[in-house]
Amino acid sequence: MIVIKTLEEIELIRESALIVSKTLGMLAREVKPGVTTLYLDKLAETFIRDHNGIPGFLGLYDFPNTLCMSPNAQIVHGIPNKKPLLDGDIISIDCGVLKNGFYGDHAYTFEVGNVKEETKKLLDVTKQSLYEGIKELKVGNRVGDVGFAIQDYCEKHGYGIVRELVGHGLGKKMHEDPEMPNYGKRGRGKKFVDGMVVAIEPMVNMGTHSIVQLEDGWTILTKDGKPSAHFEHNVAIINGKPVLLSTFQYINEALGIVSNEEDKFKL
Ligand code: MG
Ligand code: MG
C-alpha cells in the first residue's frame, strides 16, 4: 500500500533527509586513503546524534552500524570494518536518519585518492542516471518509466543494472511501497500521484548485473568482481512534479564540484 504524504509530512522527511545530506557532506572531507570505514561510521553516528537525529540503519533488520559502506566490487549493505581505504578505491556510503518519526535515506559513491578514468566514468554515468530517473517521477508517468530511463541510460554505456535490489517508498518506514526498480518498461507499474515520496537509487555495475552475497548475510557484491556504483536521492511529487528532498550540495562544496543538476527539481 502506497502511503500518500501531506505537505507537512513531506517537510519532516526533508528535515531527516537534510541531516543525511549534511552527514555525507561531512564525510566527503574525511574519505581518504588510510581511513577505516569503521572510523567514518563512528563520525557519522556522532554527527547525526549531534543534529538531533537517530541513525536510521542501526538496528534496522539487525544491521550493526550507522552506515552501509560498500567499497569497489561491493554494491550495497557493506558493514564498516577496520580495513583502511586504499588509494584508487571507490566507496558507496549509504546513510539513513530518523527524526520526528520520518526517515531520510540517501547515498553517494566517493573516490578515494586517485581513481582510474574508467571507474570515474562509472560514477559519472550512475550519478547522471539517477537524475534521468528523477525526471520521470511525475504525475502521468508510472514506476516503469523511472526504471526504463535509468536502465536505458546505463546500458548505453555497457553497464549492468542490478535487478535484485531496488529503490522504495519512504516515510514513517524506511522501506515503503512502491518498489522502485532501476530497470523496467515504459508505461508499466504503479501510477505516480501527488504526495508520493520515494528513494531512487541506481546500483550500477561496470560489468555483469549479476550479484553474490557474502557469508555475513549482508554484503552484496558483483559476481565478476568489477566495481559497482550507487547514488540515491529522496524525491517527493508535488504539483505533479519531482521535488528533491535530499541534496548533494554539501558534498559538492566539500569536493569543489560545480553542478546545477538539482536546480531543476526545486519547489
Ligand atoms: Mg539508502
Ligand atoms: Mg534506500
Side-chain angles (χ1 to χ4, degrees), residues 193-239:
V193 294
D194 275 332
M196 282 175 74
V197 177
V198 298
I200 302 181
E201 48 180 317
M203 289 154 260
V204 180
N205 299 348
M206 190 180 279
T208 177
H209 67 74
S210 300
I211 65 165
V212 289
Q213 188 170 34
L214 279 188
E215 283 163 8
D216 64 18
W218 281 106
T219 312
I220 308 285
L221 298 103
T222 60
K223 194 171 182 189
D224 59 11
K226 290 186 179 171
S228 181
H230 175 219
F231 291 84
E232 177 175 18
H233 265 314
N234 301 145
V235 199
I237 305 178
I238 301 173
N239 300 328

Side-chain angles (χ1 to χ4, degrees), residues 89-101:
D89 281 353
I90 55 170
I91 176 99
S92 156
I93 303 185
D94 196 349
C95 179
V97 162
L98 176 66
K99 189 180 176 185
N100 301 315

Side-chain angles (χ1 to χ4, degrees), residues 245-260:
L245 305 180
S246 53
T247 176
F248 295 152
Q249 145 195 7
Y250 302 100
I251 295 170
N252 290 344
E253 282 169 19
L255 301 181
I257 297 170
V258 178
S259 167
N260 58 5

Side-chain angles (χ1 to χ4, degrees), residues 178-191:
E179 288 196 340
M180 296 291 299
N182 300 300
Y183 57 91
K185 294 197 163 74
R186 283 218 170 277
R188 299 280 180 88
K190 294 251 163 54
K191 274 185 181 172

